[in-house]
């Protein structure tokens, strides 16, 4: 990828997360971006190193690049303004993603666990129990992330690194990671391979090749192994070759900020 | 063949809705174009106990849930994207006032597709293996099977996959950009699942931002994804998706999106919102006054306005539309 | 992002086809717009043993079957509507030279839909109970199950329905009215099943009557039902569906429809037809000369020509197109 | 319906068949017309007594009326010229017909049997046998007729009345009528009710209410019970209330000929 920039430009943790996520996207790939920060990460990749990425949103909006800053949603006029094709959710999420054609999807998470399972549905006080009962805190639901998690060849999960978000086991699996680990996904015949990385505000976690347990792959220059372990709700293993992530280059930051015109990623950090 | 199906919004709600019905809308993304004004009218007429079927919640379901009119809902996504959680819906779910059955954003159009085809079930290759598959917010006797997404065996491979129940809502209120007086409809921007929903629903009412002469329909038949033959009625209501956006027509009203969602976070705020923005107008004109003509002019200055250019010549003026209402038509 | 995918027809056939492949085309009704010129080129390059997947046969499959290039086919309908039986296909089937597996005109798009979704099977509520269900022209080991349309049990009701195998052809050669150099495609007239086929096929080559500037695509994104991201290559070939019609562009050539079908009724007639109308040209220009410029002018005077009006300003001239071929592009 | 026209205008058997078929279509119905003569019958109904029929073809062509004579096909420019909507086969045959929404469909037949089963696939010399073998004469296949026969609330079968076309049992069922009769259709759960009439060049056959065996309902003025029985390949029963069909009125003939501008129905008769 790019060499670290020793001029140490000022950037936020969210910007680092978006850039690290964007680095996961390769040129020419068929890619689907969720709403919000994951969309910024994806279109950053397009603006920086993946000009031929075949990007779409789950609304069936193709060929668009956001204009005027972070789109409010996946059909937002900021995205609709220069699309080359509008179709439908069935097309984008079904024909192109659940089918197994899509190379990579970026999804968010309210909570993620040791095996990359994602909860975006609700927070319960304790177990849900045999029968369903209302959550203490209702979250947005699965959206297209479940379909992306099942169908995309690989996914990248983007999430703020806080202990409450990194659970040993999520209460509710909205979007499957590796379920109970190892080859548990095979039971369901998903065409997608599962999450390749969890990119956080502190670093990057990747699954162990066999157990599929997520372990620390790398940390950001402003973070550390200790800080990450302290903010993870399970006993996080550290990969033998764990390393520091190169800081954003000037070119990367410039590209990201062209996409993030309204500074959504600079508001907190 | 030239019968007009144009009727007033209040009449459409009176004629095609009832307490306890299965009502579908919210048909174009969480914060995209949606027949929100139809939901406002449902509240004005005091409809209750609605079973809401919304691919994504949108501000419409946020409002219906927050005001207590929906007691059941099925969604693929139930928040407001970058505008945050849907506070009215959230309050209803957390309090137990509304049972929310979760699916994904692919599951919902597939269940519409299955309803449109009148299939007994739809193959599910996603949603299985997650808690969406078996956890049901509805009482078990409310679903056709004992489990929400049961398995079915592929006769070719012997492999098990999931099976969705299908959706055939009593009514779909579908927002479109342009329609003629018979219901031939053009959507600008993603269809999301409006095409499938229009075929799944038992009845369809079109809510159009603008009415066009049928010359527009004959010039662009490939854009007419909802043909008149499946449409019961057409309601003309400018800015019907407000405060959400309608590509080519108007942008999202960011300020009102926040104001509305903040209000819906509490019972009191909701009451105030209903008094102000649900009961606060009598017809399209006073609705537009309520929003504010200046604000509307700003929203209409969308960068997507060029998308509407090819069709502008056929858009009828309010006076022309008034002369074409279902009863007045002679041609 | 501005890479051109425009390549010559001969190169498209060389690059994306091979003997024994599963080849899909014939994508818009029995006598509607179809990439017939692609089928001619398959013959020119001597492709053999094709497994043809055609929603409806069209003159393309009539030709491929009559000339012996297709040894297997799957169709919903295999004649030429008011032009009568498809004599080439008929001869191939009756002689046993081509095994024709019968489905219906709904079964084919559903099997494309299932292929597009990568489902293991598709629910079948038609075709069951008729001889289509169990009689198979293919050897049993050619189908994934022991029977052509087996049954599957609905987990909700316990009721049995049918299950179609899905289609994921190696290549779909799809005729469209307009495309840009990247493959964004606009179809005028019914899609028939070109939308579903474009998602089911492993690869898609677009055969366009005309090439448009990308400004046209950005003005009408809702008409772009086949986006560039799923297109391998674009072939520009005027009158590519001849002697069939292309709404907005040209009418059916009634005289040649009859001449062609009559020729295909015999081996000798087919040889003559191939010599005259398959081997008888070298490029689009000599193809148009062969048909006859006067005849083309007459065919272009279609009453549907007004359907093309909104897009004419963006249609590129032959010279402009030549400058944009995949290798020549710089922009 | 209309009173018989005692001026006895000249008309062909095919025209009588088309008009009798068209009389089966009621105003306001959702109707699907196949290609060729059945399309003329349908659009005749629209031109004469069913101006609000919601007509479509299996191509997903809506709102059109043919211009310039018999369309060559269901997407023919003669039909595409004034459509209000173009969608797809999945939409027309699937969402609107196989679903059970369509009120009436008109289909053709190469062969039809005692229970209204239709063969349009092939003619074999003898039984097909256990394994499939090539037909002696290959016919066009099922097309959309199978889907219409399964899904439309009722169908009308239009067929030239010749002994070879009226078989005790068709060799190959391309489109199901009542299968083996009585309630045999129920086995398959078809939403459609089956054929309401077989309209021929000689008269009209309708199914017995219980056995579903087709019997003679009425004959055309130029035909007779004897002629029809002689041209039917099974021992055709005659309904107790069998009667003569009113001849075309001047208005009907005028409407039909406006639709059949190229005189397709007058070429033989």
């Amino acid at each position: 990828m790019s060499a670290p920039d020793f001029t140490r430009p000022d950037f936020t943790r969210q910007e680092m997360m978006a850039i690290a996520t964007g680095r996961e996207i390769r040129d020419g790939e068929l890619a689907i971006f969720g709403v919000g920060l994951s969309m910024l990460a994806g279109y950053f990749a397009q603006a920086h190193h993946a000009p031929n990425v075949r990007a779409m949103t789950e609304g069936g909006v193709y060929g668009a690049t956001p204009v005027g800053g972070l789109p409010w949603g996946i059909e937002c006029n900021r995205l609709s303004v220069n699309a080359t094709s509008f179709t439908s959710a069935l097309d984008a999420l079904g024909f192109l993603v659940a089918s197994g054609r899509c190379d990579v999807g970026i999804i968010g998470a309210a909570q993620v666990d040791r095996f990359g399972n994602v909860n975006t549905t609700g927070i319960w006080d304790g177990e849900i129990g045999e029968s369903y009962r209302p959550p203490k805190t209702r979250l947005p639901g699965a959206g297209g992330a479940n379909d992306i998690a099942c169908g995309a060849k690989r996914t990248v999960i983007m999430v703020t690194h806080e202990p409450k978000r990194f659970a040993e086991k999520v209460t509710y699996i909205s979007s499957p990671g590796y379920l109970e680990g190892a080859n548990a996904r095979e039971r369901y015949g998903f065409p997608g391979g599962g999450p390749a990385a969890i990119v956080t505000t502190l670093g990057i976690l990747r699954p162990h090749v066999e157990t599929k347990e997520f372990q620390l792959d790398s940390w950001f220059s402003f973070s550390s192994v200790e800080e990450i372990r302290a903010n993870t709700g399970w006993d996080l293993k550290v990969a033998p070759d764990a390393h520091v992530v190169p800081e954003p280059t000037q070119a990367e930051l410039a590209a990201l900020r062209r996409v993030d015109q309204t500074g959504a990623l600079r508001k907190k950090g | 063949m030239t019968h007009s199906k144009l009727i007033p919004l209040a009449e459409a709600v009176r004629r095609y809705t009832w307490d306890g019905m299965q009502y579908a809308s919210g048909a174009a993304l969480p914060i995209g174009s949606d027949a929100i004004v139809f939901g406002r009218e449902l509240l004005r007429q005091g409809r209750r106990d609605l079973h809401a079927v919304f691919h994504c919640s949108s501000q419409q379901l946020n409002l219906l849930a927050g005001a207590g009119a929906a007691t059941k809902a099925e969604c693929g996504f139930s928040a407001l994207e970058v505008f945050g959680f849907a506070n009215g819906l959230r309050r209803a779910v957390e309090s137990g006032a509304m049972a929310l059955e979760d699916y994904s954003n692919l599951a919902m159009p597939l269940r519409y597709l299955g309803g449109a085809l009148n299939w007994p079930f739809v193959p599910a290759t996603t949603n299985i293996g997650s808690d969406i598959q078996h956890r049901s917010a509805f009482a078990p006797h409310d679903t056709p099977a004992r489990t929400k997404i049961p398995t079915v065996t592929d006769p070719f491979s012997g492999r098990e996959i999931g099976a969705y129940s299908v959706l055939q809502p009593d009514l779909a209120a579908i927002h479109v950009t342009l329609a003629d007086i018979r219901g031939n409809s053009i959507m600008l921007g993603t269809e999301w699942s409006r095409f499938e929903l229009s075929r799944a629903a038992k009845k369809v009412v079109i809510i159009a931002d603008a009415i066009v002469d049928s010359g527009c329909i004959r010039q662009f038949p490939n854009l007419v994804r909802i043909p008149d033959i499946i449409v019961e009625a057409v309601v003309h209501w400018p800015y019907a998706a407000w405060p959400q956006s309608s590509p080519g027509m108007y942008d999202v009203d960011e300020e009102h999106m926040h104001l509305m969602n903040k209000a819906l976070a509490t019972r009191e705020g909701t009451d105030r919102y209903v008094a102000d923005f649900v009961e606060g107008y009598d017809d399209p004109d006073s609705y537009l006054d309520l929003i504010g003509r200046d604000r509307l002019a700003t929203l209409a200055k969308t960068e997507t306005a060029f998308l509407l250019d090819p069709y502008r010549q056929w858009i009828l003026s309010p006076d022309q539309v008034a002369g074409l209402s279902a009863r007045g038509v002679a041609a």
Side-chain angles (χ1 to χ4, degrees), chain B residues 1-3 5 113 115-118 180 182 184 195-196 198-202 204 217-230:
Chain B
M1 283 173 45
T2 49
H3 290 327
K5 294 177 190 161
L113 179 85
L117 287 160
N118 207 9
D180 75 1
R182 295 183 221 163
N184 291 299
F195 177 73
E196 292 83 10
S198 71
R199 272 63 170 180
K202 296 193 180 77
V204 171
I217 300 303
R218 294 206 182 268
Q219 182 63 68
F220 296 102
N222 279 94
L223 284 176
V224 180
R225 298 278 296 162
I226 303 179
D228 58 2
I229 57 172
I230 59 168

Side-chain angles (χ1 to χ4, degrees), chain A residues 30 51-52 54 62-63 82-87 90-91 94-96 98-99 101:
Chain A
L30 186 59
N52 300 301
R54 293 172 294 150
Y62 305 106
N82 60 11
T84 51
S85 171
F86 293 124
T87 62
L90 178 62
D91 184 33
F95 300 160
L96 301 182
S99 64
R101 289 180 75 147

Side-chain angles (χ1 to χ4, degrees), chain B residues 35-155:
Chain B
I36 296 181
V37 75
F38 199 93
R40 293 181 202 269
E41 186 64 27
L42 285 169
L43 288 186
R44 287 163 63 99
Q45 297 194 21
R47 290 286 180 270
R48 307 173 46 172
D49 199 25
L50 297 173
H51 178 159
V53 175
F54 278 58
H55 186 156
C56 292
S57 58
S58 103
Q59 286 279 30
Q60 187 183 169
L61 182 56
N62 198 18
L63 176 61
L64 291 172
T71 49
K72 290 171 77 176
E74 307 186 43
C75 288
F77 183 79
S78 43
L80 299 171
E81 303 188 89
V82 177
F83 290 101
F85 297 112
N87 290 328
L89 175 141
R90 197 173 188 175
R91 192 162 48 79
V93 171
E94 291 170 4
S95 70
M98 186 178 82
L100 174 57
E101 192 72 306
D102 275 292
Y103 287 91
S104 75
N105 277 350
L106 174 59
M108 294 299 284
L110 285 177
R111 295 174 71 218
Y112 292 150
L113 179 85
L117 287 160
N118 207 9
W119 283 350
F121 70 94
V122 182
T125 59
T126 71
N127 290 19
I128 54 177
S130 69
D131 279 299
I132 295 175
Q133 183 172 9
H134 295 300
R135 292 207 183 271
S136 176
F138 292 171
H141 60 263
D142 280 354
T143 64
R146 285 171 174 280
T147 181
K148 184 174 145 198
I149 304 176
T151 57
V152 62
T153 304
D154 167 33

Side-chain angles (χ1 to χ4, degrees), chain B residues 13-28:
Chain B
V13 169
R14 258 195 310 277
R15 207 187 280 182
Y16 299 108
T17 73
W18 60 90
D19 292 350
M21 77 181 302
Q22 203 180 95
Y23 166 67
S25 194

Side-chain angles (χ1 to χ4, degrees), chain A residues 198-245:
Chain A
I198 303 173
V199 180
T200 81
T201 39
L202 297 177
I204 302 174
L205 280 54
R206 294 193 193 272
H208 182 271
V209 65
E210 277 169 16
T211 65
K212 304 297 185 189
E213 177 175 330
F214 275 82
Q215 50 189 29
L216 184 61
D217 170 81
S218 46
W219 60 91
F220 297 147
S221 58
F222 49 75
S223 177
S224 66
V225 172
E226 294 66 37
E227 186 179 357
I228 290 172
R229 282 178 47 86
N231 280 281
T232 303
W234 71 86
D235 184 20
L236 181 70
K237 291 180 186 138
V238 179
D241 58 346
H243 56 278
V244 69
V245 175

Side-chain angles (χ1 to χ4, degrees), chain B:
Chain B
M1 283 173 45
T2 49
H3 290 327
S4 172
K5 294 177 190 161
L6 267 179
I7 61 173
L9 176 60
E11 190 178 335
V13 169
R14 258 195 310 277
R15 207 187 280 182
Y16 299 108
T17 73
W18 60 90
D19 292 350
M21 77 181 302
Q22 203 180 95
Y23 166 67
S25 194
L29 294 178
I31 62 153
S33 67
D34 178 26
I36 296 181
V37 75
F38 199 93
R40 293 181 202 269
E41 186 64 27
L42 285 169
L43 288 186
R44 287 163 63 99
Q45 297 194 21
R47 290 286 180 270
R48 307 173 46 172
D49 199 25
L50 297 173
H51 178 159
V53 175
F54 278 58
H55 186 156
C56 292
S57 58
S58 103
Q59 286 279 30
Q60 187 183 169
L61 182 56
N62 198 18
L63 176 61
L64 291 172
T71 49
K72 290 171 77 176
E74 307 186 43
C75 288
F77 183 79
S78 43
L80 299 171
E81 303 188 89
V82 177
F83 290 101
F85 297 112
N87 290 328
L89 175 141
R90 197 173 188 175
R91 192 162 48 79
V93 171
E94 291 170 4
S95 70
M98 186 178 82
L100 174 57
E101 192 72 306
D102 275 292
Y103 287 91
S104 75
N105 277 350
L106 174 59
M108 294 299 284
L110 285 177
R111 295 174 71 218
Y112 292 150
L113 179 85
L117 287 160
N118 207 9
W119 283 350
F121 70 94
V122 182
T125 59
T126 71
N127 290 19
I128 54 177
S130 69
D131 279 299
I132 295 175
Q133 183 172 9
H134 295 300
R135 292 207 183 271
S136 176
F138 292 171
H141 60 263
D142 280 354
T143 64
R146 285 171 174 280
T147 181
K148 184 174 145 198
I149 304 176
T151 57
V152 62
T153 304
D154 167 33
F156 294 103
S157 67
R159 168 187 158 203
E160 281 199 341
I161 58 166
Y164 294 120
S165 59
V166 305
L167 288 167
Q168 295 179 325
D170 292 316
L171 175 72
I174 299 182
H175 179 261
V176 303
T177 321
L178 307 169
D180 75 1
I181 58 171
R182 295 183 221 163
N184 291 299
S185 299
I186 293 176
M187 297 169 271
L188 301 183
T190 168
E191 294 175 6
W192 194 226
S193 53
R194 288 177 283 183
F195 177 73
E196 292 83 10
L197 174 59
S198 71
R199 272 63 170 180
K202 296 193 180 77
K203 295 194 171 173
V204 171
V205 171
I206 292 295
I207 319 297
D209 278 331
I211 302 296
V212 289
D213 183 86
S214 66
C216 183
I217 300 303
R218 294 206 182 268
Q219 182 63 68
F220 296 102
N222 279 94
L223 284 176
V224 180
R225 298 278 296 162
I226 303 179
D228 58 2
I229 57 172
I230 59 168
V231 172
E232 300 292 323
V234 180
V235 172
H236 175 230
W237 197 282
Y239 295 90
W242 175 81
Q244 298 184 179
S245 63
S246 179
M249 278 281 184
Y250 44 90
D251 280 328
V252 67
D253 182 342
E254 301 173 18
E255 187 185 325
H256 196 86
M257 285 294 283
H258 288 299
L259 176 154
M260 181 173 181
N261 197 33
K262 193 174 168 200
L264 296 176
T266 64
R267 181 71 239 178
E268 303 68 40
T270 303
D271 289 345
R272 224 163 31 241
Y273 186 85
V274 168
D276 290 348
F277 294 103
V278 173
E279 308 285 358
Y281 56 87
D282 295 317
D283 52 26
D285 259 359
S286 53
Y287 167 86
L288 300 179
D289 288 340
L290 178 67
I291 301 171
R293 303 283 174 166
D294 287 352
R295 180 181 300 210
L296 293 177
T298 306
L299 297 178
K301 284 199 196 95
T302 169
E303 288 198 76
T304 64
F306 76 94
L307 289 174
L308 192 65
D309 289 345
Y311 323 104
R312 286 185 199 278
Q313 61 175 298
W314 285 287
I315 293 179
L316 302 181
S317 70
D319 282 354
Q320 290 174 305
V321 174
L324 291 167
S325 75
R327 293 190 185 163
V329 78

